[in-house]
Amino acid sequence: MGIDVTERRDRERALRDSEEKYRSLFEETQDIVFISTYDGSLVDINPAGVSRLGYSSKEDLMQVSIRDIYADTDERAHFLSLLDRDGYVSDFETTLLCSDRQKCQVSINAAAIRDDVGNIALIRGIMRDVTENRKLEDQLRQSQKMESIGTLAAVLPMTSITFLLPLSGMGI
């Protein structure tokens, strides 16, 4: 009898330790970790999600439908169709609207949790804010364009002169 109680106590302690480990991961990560229903109601979201989306409290954010934070509702529909078809989505980039209506770019990895008849009941996912990365990429592209224009501007006059030199010897 003493062994059964000890085993049960050990299992309960292991379960508590495991719950604490995953709870701290959920609470401390800087990515947005969420659980929502298919129709867009939030079931849970971590503090990074509340903060990144600009809400003052988790309770305030829980009142908002995920549908309403997508900048483009067609992107939400596309996300759901991929999730329905494949059961997961990897690196799906979209634009979200924060509480102050500022836009932020995110990359979403998510999995569908299906009910007994195969319909999506829940969506569990992680969103990574890639706004700064996209801004830097845009700046790099713009810089490369300007460099190309500069190179072209330097080469074109020489090309014109080179082209015209043979014509000047013809008496034209």
Side-chain angles (χ1 to χ4, degrees):
M1 186 75 151
I3 295 173
D4 289 341
V5 171
T6 302
E7 280 181 29
R8 191 177 91 204
R9 216 174 329 140
D10 289 346
R11 276 189 248 132
E12 288 172 353
R13 185 177 309 118
L15 180 60
R16 274 193 312 275
D17 290 348
S18 178
E19 287 173 351
E20 175 58 32
K21 180 172 52 176
Y22 288 104
R23 174 55 56 187
S24 65
L25 177 64
F26 178 81
E27 297 289 332
E28 296 168 6
T29 188
Q30 296 306 300
D31 289 333
I32 301 168
V33 180
F34 69 96
I35 302 170
S36 73
T37 61
Y38 185 80
D39 67 357
S41 298
L42 278 169
V43 174
D44 204 358
I45 191 163
N46 69 339
V50 176
S51 172
R52 181 59 198 104
L53 294 172
Y55 287 83
S56 55
S57 71
K58 183 175 179 175
E59 292 72 27
D60 288 344
L61 181 52
M62 297 291 282
Q63 300 304 311
V64 177
S65 172
I66 286 182
R67 290 185 314 257
D68 297 333
I69 65 172
Y70 271 76
D72 182 347
T73 55
D74 290 340
E75 286 184 6
R76 168 81 176 156
H78 182 59
F79 169 79
L80 291 174
S81 70
L82 292 172
L83 198 59
D84 196 35
R85 183 189 74 198
D86 300 331
Y88 68 93
V89 174
S90 294
D91 299 320
F92 181 86
E93 289 203 15
T94 190
T95 303
L96 300 181
L97 297 172
C98 298
S99 66
D100 62 0
R101 307 318 278 171
Q102 290 280 28
K103 292 180 179 180
C104 69
Q105 295 288 122
V106 295
S107 176
I108 306 173
N109 293 308
I113 309 303
R114 297 187 184 274
D115 61 19
D116 294 338
V117 292
N119 296 320
I120 297 176
L122 294 174
I123 301 167
R124 285 192 273 209
I126 298 172
M127 296 182 192
R128 172 158 287 168
D129 185 344
V130 295
T131 305
E132 288 305 312
N133 295 6
R134 295 304 161 259
K135 284 180 184 176
L136 290 173
E137 288 172 2
D138 288 344
Q139 288 173 357
L140 178 61
R141 269 192 295 282
Q142 186 65 24
S143 173
Q144 289 170 334
K145 282 181 192 176
M146 296 307 288
E147 184 180 334
S148 296
I149 290 171
T151 302
L152 203 55
V155 170
L156 278 178
M158 289 186 281
T159 305
S160 298
I161 292 169
T162 306
F163 177 73
L164 292 174
L165 281 175
L167 296 178
S168 65
M170 303 175 112
I172 298 178

mmCIF file of all heavy atoms in Angstrom, residues 22-35 42 44-53 61 91 96 104-110 124-133:
data_model
loop_
_atom_site.group_PDB
_atom_site.id
_atom_site.type_symbol
_atom_site.label_atom_id
_atom_site.label_comp_id
_atom_site.label_asym_id
_atom_site.label_seq_id
_atom_site.Cartn_x
_atom_site.Cartn_y
_atom_site.Cartn_z
ATOM 1 N N TYR A 22 6.086 23.972 -18.937
ATOM 2 C CA TYR A 22 5.407 24.452 -20.134
ATOM 3 C C TYR A 22 4.669 25.761 -19.891
ATOM 4 O O TYR A 22 4.577 26.604 -20.787
ATOM 5 C CB TYR A 22 4.489 23.372 -20.716
ATOM 6 C CG TYR A 22 5.317 22.279 -21.336
ATOM 7 C CD1 TYR A 22 5.497 21.062 -20.701
ATOM 8 C CD2 TYR A 22 5.983 22.500 -22.538
ATOM 9 C CE1 TYR A 22 6.298 20.073 -21.258
ATOM 10 C CE2 TYR A 22 6.781 21.531 -23.107
ATOM 11 C CZ TYR A 22 6.941 20.317 -22.458
ATOM 12 O OH TYR A 22 7.749 19.364 -23.001
ATOM 13 N N ARG A 23 4.170 25.970 -18.712
ATOM 14 C CA ARG A 23 3.527 27.248 -18.376
ATOM 15 C C ARG A 23 4.554 28.371 -18.444
ATOM 16 O O ARG A 23 4.300 29.432 -19.001
ATOM 17 C CB ARG A 23 2.883 27.168 -16.990
ATOM 18 C CG ARG A 23 2.301 28.462 -16.437
ATOM 19 C CD ARG A 23 1.300 29.182 -17.285
ATOM 20 N NE ARG A 23 0.162 28.410 -17.665
ATOM 21 C CZ ARG A 23 -0.772 28.824 -18.517
ATOM 22 N NH1 ARG A 23 -0.700 30.013 -19.067
ATOM 23 N NH2 ARG A 23 -1.771 28.061 -18.836
ATOM 24 N N SER A 24 5.753 28.138 -17.902
ATOM 25 C CA SER A 24 6.777 29.196 -17.944
ATOM 26 C C SER A 24 7.223 29.456 -19.383
ATOM 27 O O SER A 24 7.489 30.604 -19.754
ATOM 28 C CB SER A 24 7.959 28.869 -17.031
ATOM 29 O OG SER A 24 8.642 27.735 -17.474
ATOM 30 N N LEU A 25 7.307 28.429 -20.206
ATOM 31 C CA LEU A 25 7.634 28.625 -21.617
ATOM 32 C C LEU A 25 6.570 29.494 -22.286
ATOM 33 O O LEU A 25 6.880 30.453 -23.002
ATOM 34 C CB LEU A 25 7.740 27.273 -22.337
ATOM 35 C CG LEU A 25 8.010 27.319 -23.838
ATOM 36 C CD1 LEU A 25 9.378 27.930 -24.118
ATOM 37 C CD2 LEU A 25 7.925 25.921 -24.425
ATOM 38 N N PHE A 26 5.318 29.203 -22.031
ATOM 39 C CA PHE A 26 4.193 29.962 -22.574
ATOM 40 C C PHE A 26 4.250 31.416 -22.110
ATOM 41 O O PHE A 26 4.072 32.342 -22.887
ATOM 42 C CB PHE A 26 2.878 29.301 -22.118
ATOM 43 C CG PHE A 26 1.628 29.994 -22.569
ATOM 44 C CD1 PHE A 26 1.126 29.799 -23.839
ATOM 45 C CD2 PHE A 26 0.933 30.835 -21.707
ATOM 46 C CE1 PHE A 26 -0.040 30.433 -24.259
ATOM 47 C CE2 PHE A 26 -0.231 31.472 -22.114
ATOM 48 C CZ PHE A 26 -0.714 31.272 -23.393
ATOM 49 N N GLU A 27 4.505 31.629 -20.831
ATOM 50 C CA GLU A 27 4.485 32.963 -20.244
ATOM 51 C C GLU A 27 5.706 33.797 -20.632
ATOM 52 O O GLU A 27 5.606 35.002 -20.774
ATOM 53 C CB GLU A 27 4.407 32.874 -18.710
ATOM 54 C CG GLU A 27 3.147 32.220 -18.185
ATOM 55 C CD GLU A 27 1.909 33.064 -18.373
ATOM 56 O OE1 GLU A 27 2.014 34.307 -18.409
ATOM 57 O OE2 GLU A 27 0.811 32.486 -18.488
ATOM 58 N N GLU A 28 6.869 33.168 -20.794
ATOM 59 C CA GLU A 28 8.114 33.918 -20.938
ATOM 60 C C GLU A 28 8.589 34.121 -22.373
ATOM 61 O O GLU A 28 9.416 34.998 -22.622
ATOM 62 C CB GLU A 28 9.224 33.242 -20.124
ATOM 63 C CG GLU A 28 8.934 33.265 -18.636
ATOM 64 C CD GLU A 28 9.856 32.372 -17.830
ATOM 65 O OE1 GLU A 28 10.809 31.806 -18.414
ATOM 66 O OE2 GLU A 28 9.616 32.227 -16.622
ATOM 67 N N THR A 29 8.103 33.341 -23.321
ATOM 68 C CA THR A 29 8.578 33.503 -24.696
ATOM 69 C C THR A 29 8.171 34.869 -25.235
ATOM 70 O O THR A 29 7.138 35.419 -24.839
ATOM 71 C CB THR A 29 8.056 32.379 -25.616
ATOM 72 O OG1 THR A 29 8.698 32.485 -26.880
ATOM 73 C CG2 THR A 29 6.554 32.450 -25.812
ATOM 74 N N GLN A 30 8.981 35.405 -26.121
ATOM 75 C CA GLN A 30 8.696 36.720 -26.705
ATOM 76 C C GLN A 30 7.857 36.628 -27.973
ATOM 77 O O GLN A 30 7.424 37.639 -28.507
ATOM 78 C CB GLN A 30 10.003 37.469 -26.972
ATOM 79 C CG GLN A 30 10.759 37.788 -25.694
ATOM 80 C CD GLN A 30 9.904 38.531 -24.691
ATOM 81 O OE1 GLN A 30 9.405 39.624 -24.972
ATOM 82 N NE2 GLN A 30 9.696 37.947 -23.522
ATOM 83 N N ASP A 31 7.634 35.426 -28.475
ATOM 84 C CA ASP A 31 6.711 35.226 -29.592
ATOM 85 C C ASP A 31 5.284 35.184 -29.056
ATOM 86 O O ASP A 31 5.058 34.893 -27.886
ATOM 87 C CB ASP A 31 7.016 33.914 -30.325
ATOM 88 C CG ASP A 31 8.310 33.977 -31.122
ATOM 89 O OD1 ASP A 31 8.707 35.085 -31.538
ATOM 90 O OD2 ASP A 31 8.919 32.928 -31.327
ATOM 91 N N ILE A 32 4.336 35.446 -29.925
ATOM 92 C CA ILE A 32 2.919 35.387 -29.549
ATOM 93 C C ILE A 32 2.478 33.927 -29.616
ATOM 94 O O ILE A 32 2.543 33.308 -30.674
ATOM 95 C CB ILE A 32 2.063 36.244 -30.497
ATOM 96 C CG1 ILE A 32 2.516 37.705 -30.462
ATOM 97 C CG2 ILE A 32 0.582 36.107 -30.163
ATOM 98 C CD1 ILE A 32 1.915 38.569 -31.566
ATOM 99 N N VAL A 33 2.037 33.392 -28.489
ATOM 100 C CA VAL A 33 1.524 32.022 -28.432
ATOM 101 C C VAL A 33 0.027 32.131 -28.155
ATOM 102 O O VAL A 33 -0.392 32.831 -27.237
ATOM 103 C CB VAL A 33 2.225 31.202 -27.328
ATOM 104 C CG1 VAL A 33 1.688 29.782 -27.292
ATOM 105 C CG2 VAL A 33 3.745 31.211 -27.524
ATOM 106 N N PHE A 34 -0.767 31.440 -28.983
ATOM 107 C CA PHE A 34 -2.214 31.591 -28.843
ATOM 108 C C PHE A 34 -2.943 30.266 -29.051
ATOM 109 O O PHE A 34 -2.426 29.349 -29.685
ATOM 110 C CB PHE A 34 -2.753 32.616 -29.846
ATOM 111 C CG PHE A 34 -2.675 32.140 -31.273
ATOM 112 C CD1 PHE A 34 -3.767 31.546 -31.887
ATOM 113 C CD2 PHE A 34 -1.503 32.271 -32.006
ATOM 114 C CE1 PHE A 34 -3.695 31.085 -33.198
ATOM 115 C CE2 PHE A 34 -1.421 31.822 -33.321
ATOM 116 C CZ PHE A 34 -2.514 31.233 -33.917
ATOM 117 N N ILE A 35 -4.151 30.230 -28.529
ATOM 118 C CA ILE A 35 -5.117 29.165 -28.812
ATOM 119 C C ILE A 35 -6.421 29.887 -29.122
ATOM 120 O O ILE A 35 -6.840 30.782 -28.375
ATOM 121 C CB ILE A 35 -5.318 28.217 -27.610
ATOM 122 C CG1 ILE A 35 -3.988 27.577 -27.201
ATOM 123 C CG2 ILE A 35 -6.363 27.145 -27.945
ATOM 124 C CD1 ILE A 35 -4.054 26.808 -25.884
ATOM 125 N N LEU A 42 -10.538 34.004 -29.026
ATOM 126 C CA LEU A 42 -9.330 33.602 -28.315
ATOM 127 C C LEU A 42 -9.686 32.749 -27.111
ATOM 128 O O LEU A 42 -10.582 33.092 -26.349
ATOM 129 C CB LEU A 42 -8.540 34.831 -27.857
ATOM 130 C CG LEU A 42 -7.649 35.469 -28.894
ATOM 131 C CD1 LEU A 42 -7.141 36.822 -28.411
ATOM 132 C CD2 LEU A 42 -6.479 34.567 -29.231
ATOM 133 N N ASP A 44 -6.835 31.416 -25.298
ATOM 134 C CA ASP A 44 -5.709 31.814 -24.455
ATOM 135 C C ASP A 44 -4.675 32.508 -25.315
ATOM 136 O O ASP A 44 -4.560 32.235 -26.515
ATOM 137 C CB ASP A 44 -5.094 30.594 -23.769
ATOM 138 C CG ASP A 44 -4.343 30.933 -22.486
ATOM 139 O OD1 ASP A 44 -4.263 32.141 -22.122
ATOM 140 O OD2 ASP A 44 -3.836 30.003 -21.833
ATOM 141 N N ILE A 45 -3.926 33.413 -24.713
ATOM 142 C CA ILE A 45 -2.822 34.101 -25.383
ATOM 143 C C ILE A 45 -1.817 34.479 -24.314
ATOM 144 O O ILE A 45 -2.195 34.790 -23.179
ATOM 145 C CB ILE A 45 -3.315 35.321 -26.196
ATOM 146 C CG1 ILE A 45 -2.191 35.857 -27.099
ATOM 147 C CG2 ILE A 45 -3.903 36.384 -25.294
ATOM 148 C CD1 ILE A 45 -2.678 36.765 -28.209
ATOM 149 N N ASN A 46 -0.550 34.451 -24.669
ATOM 150 C CA ASN A 46 0.483 34.735 -23.684
ATOM 151 C C ASN A 46 0.703 36.245 -23.520
ATOM 152 O O ASN A 46 0.197 37.048 -24.311
ATOM 153 C CB ASN A 46 1.782 34.004 -24.043
ATOM 154 C CG ASN A 46 2.449 34.552 -25.280
ATOM 155 O OD1 ASN A 46 1.828 35.195 -26.120
ATOM 156 N ND2 ASN A 46 3.737 34.295 -25.408
ATOM 157 N N PRO A 47 1.453 36.639 -22.479
ATOM 158 C CA PRO A 47 1.701 38.071 -22.248
ATOM 159 C C PRO A 47 2.375 38.779 -23.423
ATOM 160 O O PRO A 47 2.086 39.949 -23.685
ATOM 161 C CB PRO A 47 2.614 38.071 -21.010
ATOM 162 C CG PRO A 47 2.253 36.820 -20.280
ATOM 163 C CD PRO A 47 1.960 35.819 -21.371
ATOM 164 N N ALA A 48 3.262 38.096 -24.148
ATOM 165 C CA ALA A 48 3.902 38.717 -25.307
ATOM 166 C C ALA A 48 2.857 39.094 -26.364
ATOM 167 O O ALA A 48 2.981 40.119 -27.026
ATOM 168 C CB ALA A 48 4.950 37.782 -25.910
ATOM 169 N N GLY A 49 1.831 38.271 -26.519
ATOM 170 C CA GLY A 49 0.761 38.569 -27.471
ATOM 171 C C GLY A 49 -0.022 39.803 -27.062
ATOM 172 O O GLY A 49 -0.332 40.659 -27.894
ATOM 173 N N VAL A 50 -0.324 39.887 -25.784
ATOM 174 C CA VAL A 50 -1.065 41.045 -25.271
ATOM 175 C C VAL A 50 -0.253 42.310 -25.507
ATOM 176 O O VAL A 50 -0.748 43.305 -26.047
ATOM 177 C CB VAL A 50 -1.374 40.866 -23.767
ATOM 178 C CG1 VAL A 50 -2.047 42.110 -23.201
ATOM 179 C CG2 VAL A 50 -2.249 39.632 -23.542
ATOM 180 N N SER A 51 1.019 42.246 -25.148
ATOM 181 C CA SER A 51 1.902 43.402 -25.275
ATOM 182 C C SER A 51 2.129 43.779 -26.739
ATOM 183 O O SER A 51 1.990 44.943 -27.124
ATOM 184 C CB SER A 51 3.233 43.081 -24.598
ATOM 185 O OG SER A 51 4.170 44.076 -24.852
ATOM 186 N N ARG A 52 2.476 42.809 -27.573
ATOM 187 C CA ARG A 52 2.810 43.093 -28.966
ATOM 188 C C ARG A 52 1.626 43.658 -29.736
ATOM 189 O O ARG A 52 1.778 44.490 -30.622
ATOM 190 C CB ARG A 52 3.324 41.828 -29.673
ATOM 191 C CG ARG A 52 3.702 42.045 -31.109
ATOM 192 C CD ARG A 52 4.795 43.120 -31.232
ATOM 193 N NE ARG A 52 4.900 43.657 -32.564
ATOM 194 C CZ ARG A 52 4.447 44.842 -32.966
ATOM 195 N NH1 ARG A 52 3.837 45.646 -32.141
ATOM 196 N NH2 ARG A 52 4.607 45.246 -34.196
ATOM 197 N N LEU A 53 0.437 43.188 -29.412
ATOM 198 C CA LEU A 53 -0.763 43.671 -30.094
ATOM 199 C C LEU A 53 -1.300 44.967 -29.486
ATOM 200 O O LEU A 53 -2.309 45.494 -29.939
ATOM 201 C CB LEU A 53 -1.831 42.578 -30.119
ATOM 202 C CG LEU A 53 -1.432 41.362 -30.966
ATOM 203 C CD1 LEU A 53 -2.442 40.229 -30.795
ATOM 204 C CD2 LEU A 53 -1.272 41.724 -32.442
ATOM 205 N N LEU A 61 -7.926 42.016 -24.647
ATOM 206 C CA LEU A 61 -7.652 41.326 -25.910
ATOM 207 C C LEU A 61 -8.588 40.139 -26.111
ATOM 208 O O LEU A 61 -9.011 39.860 -27.237
ATOM 209 C CB LEU A 61 -6.190 40.872 -25.965
ATOM 210 C CG LEU A 61 -5.744 40.150 -27.230
ATOM 211 C CD1 LEU A 61 -6.072 40.923 -28.491
ATOM 212 C CD2 LEU A 61 -4.257 39.848 -27.158
ATOM 213 N N ASP A 91 5.037 29.183 -41.480
ATOM 214 C CA ASP A 91 5.576 30.438 -42.025
ATOM 215 C C ASP A 91 4.568 31.196 -42.889
ATOM 216 O O ASP A 91 4.913 31.722 -43.943
ATOM 217 C CB ASP A 91 6.866 30.172 -42.815
ATOM 218 C CG ASP A 91 7.947 29.559 -41.947
ATOM 219 O OD1 ASP A 91 8.081 29.984 -40.784
ATOM 220 O OD2 ASP A 91 8.651 28.646 -42.417
ATOM 221 N N LEU A 96 -1.206 42.140 -39.261
ATOM 222 C CA LEU A 96 -2.203 42.287 -38.199
ATOM 223 C C LEU A 96 -2.344 43.759 -37.835
ATOM 224 O O LEU A 96 -1.430 44.550 -38.059
ATOM 225 C CB LEU A 96 -1.785 41.504 -36.956
ATOM 226 C CG LEU A 96 -1.603 40.001 -37.112
ATOM 227 C CD1 LEU A 96 -1.223 39.389 -35.765
ATOM 228 C CD2 LEU A 96 -2.846 39.334 -37.667
ATOM 229 N N CYS A 104 1.396 45.394 -38.073
ATOM 230 C CA CYS A 104 2.612 44.632 -37.802
ATOM 231 C C CYS A 104 2.574 43.355 -38.638
ATOM 232 O O CYS A 104 1.516 42.765 -38.844
ATOM 233 C CB CYS A 104 2.782 44.327 -36.317
ATOM 234 S SG CYS A 104 1.630 43.167 -35.615
ATOM 235 N N GLN A 105 3.723 43.008 -39.162
ATOM 236 C CA GLN A 105 3.874 41.800 -39.972
ATOM 237 C C GLN A 105 4.205 40.638 -39.040
ATOM 238 O O GLN A 105 5.061 40.776 -38.178
ATOM 239 C CB GLN A 105 5.015 41.964 -40.967
ATOM 240 C CG GLN A 105 4.806 43.034 -42.012
ATOM 241 C CD GLN A 105 3.775 42.628 -43.019
ATOM 242 O OE1 GLN A 105 2.800 43.324 -43.184
ATOM 243 N NE2 GLN A 105 3.947 41.525 -43.668
ATOM 244 N N VAL A 106 3.530 39.514 -39.239
ATOM 245 C CA VAL A 106 3.819 38.321 -38.444
ATOM 246 C C VAL A 106 3.966 37.112 -39.349
ATOM 247 O O VAL A 106 3.417 37.065 -40.450
ATOM 248 C CB VAL A 106 2.731 38.036 -37.379
ATOM 249 C CG1 VAL A 106 2.680 39.129 -36.323
ATOM 250 C CG2 VAL A 106 1.367 37.832 -38.017
ATOM 251 N N SER A 107 4.715 36.157 -38.858
ATOM 252 C CA SER A 107 4.839 34.851 -39.500
ATOM 253 C C SER A 107 4.191 33.860 -38.541
ATOM 254 O O SER A 107 4.562 33.807 -37.359
ATOM 255 C CB SER A 107 6.313 34.509 -39.714
ATOM 256 O OG SER A 107 6.435 33.212 -40.248
ATOM 257 N N ILE A 108 3.222 33.089 -39.042
ATOM 258 C CA ILE A 108 2.440 32.192 -38.185
ATOM 259 C C ILE A 108 2.766 30.736 -38.477
ATOM 260 O O ILE A 108 2.804 30.313 -39.633
ATOM 261 C CB ILE A 108 0.920 32.395 -38.400
ATOM 262 C CG1 ILE A 108 0.535 33.861 -38.221
ATOM 263 C CG2 ILE A 108 0.120 31.494 -37.453
ATOM 264 C CD1 ILE A 108 -0.910 34.176 -38.591
ATOM 265 N N ASN A 109 2.980 29.988 -37.411
ATOM 266 C CA ASN A 109 3.031 28.529 -37.460
ATOM 267 C C ASN A 109 1.876 28.065 -36.582
ATOM 268 O O ASN A 109 1.785 28.486 -35.419
ATOM 269 C CB ASN A 109 4.358 27.994 -36.917
ATOM 270 C CG ASN A 109 5.514 28.370 -37.810
ATOM 271 O OD1 ASN A 109 5.483 28.129 -39.001
ATOM 272 N ND2 ASN A 109 6.534 28.969 -37.237
ATOM 273 N N ALA A 110 0.996 27.243 -37.123
ATOM 274 C CA ALA A 110 -0.185 26.838 -36.362
ATOM 275 C C ALA A 110 -0.610 25.427 -36.744
ATOM 276 O O ALA A 110 -0.288 24.934 -37.823
ATOM 277 C CB ALA A 110 -1.342 27.808 -36.620
ATOM 278 N N ARG A 124 -3.988 26.077 -32.494
ATOM 279 C CA ARG A 124 -2.881 26.404 -31.592
ATOM 280 C C ARG A 124 -1.734 26.909 -32.433
ATOM 281 O O ARG A 124 -1.387 26.274 -33.443
ATOM 282 C CB ARG A 124 -2.422 25.181 -30.807
ATOM 283 C CG ARG A 124 -3.378 24.806 -29.700
ATOM 284 C CD ARG A 124 -2.755 23.801 -28.787
ATOM 285 N NE ARG A 124 -2.990 22.467 -29.315
ATOM 286 C CZ ARG A 124 -3.080 21.383 -28.569
ATOM 287 N NH1 ARG A 124 -2.914 21.449 -27.278
ATOM 288 N NH2 ARG A 124 -3.299 20.223 -29.131
ATOM 289 N N GLY A 125 -1.174 28.041 -32.054
ATOM 290 C CA GLY A 125 -0.121 28.576 -32.901
ATOM 291 C C GLY A 125 0.821 29.532 -32.222
ATOM 292 O O GLY A 125 0.638 29.923 -31.068
ATOM 293 N N ILE A 126 1.831 29.888 -32.998
ATOM 294 C CA ILE A 126 2.846 30.847 -32.584
ATOM 295 C C ILE A 126 2.990 31.860 -33.701
ATOM 296 O O ILE A 126 3.087 31.493 -34.877
ATOM 297 C CB ILE A 126 4.198 30.146 -32.327
ATOM 298 C CG1 ILE A 126 4.058 29.136 -31.193
ATOM 299 C CG2 ILE A 126 5.295 31.170 -32.024
ATOM 300 C CD1 ILE A 126 5.288 28.271 -30.990
ATOM 301 N N MET A 127 2.998 33.128 -33.334
ATOM 302 C CA MET A 127 3.213 34.211 -34.287
ATOM 303 C C MET A 127 4.519 34.898 -33.923
ATOM 304 O O MET A 127 4.724 35.248 -32.766
ATOM 305 C CB MET A 127 2.089 35.250 -34.212
ATOM 306 C CG MET A 127 0.737 34.764 -34.588
ATOM 307 S SD MET A 127 -0.425 36.151 -34.483
ATOM 308 C CE MET A 127 -1.971 35.268 -34.610
ATOM 309 N N ARG A 128 5.359 35.085 -34.916
ATOM 310 C CA ARG A 128 6.610 35.822 -34.713
ATOM 311 C C ARG A 128 6.490 37.160 -35.415
ATOM 312 O O ARG A 128 6.139 37.218 -36.598
ATOM 313 C CB ARG A 128 7.789 35.042 -35.258
ATOM 314 C CG ARG A 128 9.076 35.872 -35.235
ATOM 315 C CD ARG A 128 10.295 35.051 -35.255
ATOM 316 N NE ARG A 128 10.420 34.429 -33.945
ATOM 317 C CZ ARG A 128 11.269 33.455 -33.688
ATOM 318 N NH1 ARG A 128 12.054 32.985 -34.630
ATOM 319 N NH2 ARG A 128 11.350 32.933 -32.488
ATOM 320 N N ASP A 129 6.782 38.225 -34.694
ATOM 321 C CA ASP A 129 6.755 39.570 -35.270
ATOM 322 C C ASP A 129 7.948 39.719 -36.203
ATOM 323 O O ASP A 129 9.096 39.611 -35.780
ATOM 324 C CB ASP A 129 6.819 40.604 -34.146
ATOM 325 C CG ASP A 129 6.666 42.026 -34.647
ATOM 326 O OD1 ASP A 129 6.801 42.255 -35.868
ATOM 327 O OD2 ASP A 129 6.418 42.915 -33.814
ATOM 328 N N VAL A 130 7.685 39.943 -37.480
ATOM 329 C CA VAL A 130 8.747 40.104 -38.478
ATOM 330 C C VAL A 130 8.716 41.510 -39.090
ATOM 331 O O VAL A 130 9.324 41.736 -40.138
ATOM 332 C CB VAL A 130 8.666 39.013 -39.575
ATOM 333 C CG1 VAL A 130 8.929 37.632 -38.990
ATOM 334 C CG2 VAL A 130 7.331 39.046 -40.304
ATOM 335 N N THR A 131 8.057 42.435 -38.430
ATOM 336 C CA THR A 131 7.905 43.791 -38.941
ATOM 337 C C THR A 131 9.258 44.437 -39.223
ATOM 338 O O THR A 131 9.485 44.965 -40.318
ATOM 339 C CB THR A 131 7.107 44.665 -37.947
ATOM 340 O OG1 THR A 131 5.858 44.017 -37.666
ATOM 341 C CG2 THR A 131 6.848 46.053 -38.498
ATOM 342 N N GLU A 132 10.150 44.423 -38.259
ATOM 343 C CA GLU A 132 11.463 45.050 -38.435
ATOM 344 C C GLU A 132 12.265 44.367 -39.540
ATOM 345 O O GLU A 132 12.940 45.036 -40.318
ATOM 346 C CB GLU A 132 12.246 45.064 -37.123
ATOM 347 C CG GLU A 132 11.709 46.058 -36.110
ATOM 348 C CD GLU A 132 11.629 47.486 -36.648
ATOM 349 O OE1 GLU A 132 12.626 47.962 -37.246
ATOM 350 O OE2 GLU A 132 10.573 48.121 -36.493
ATOM 351 N N ASN A 133 12.181 43.038 -39.601
ATOM 352 C CA ASN A 133 12.889 42.305 -40.662
ATOM 353 C C ASN A 133 12.411 42.765 -42.037
ATOM 354 O O ASN A 133 13.218 42.956 -42.947
ATOM 355 C CB ASN A 133 12.659 40.803 -40.532
ATOM 356 C CG ASN A 133 13.240 40.215 -39.282
ATOM 357 O OD1 ASN A 133 13.731 40.928 -38.423
ATOM 358 N ND2 ASN A 133 13.186 38.907 -39.167
#
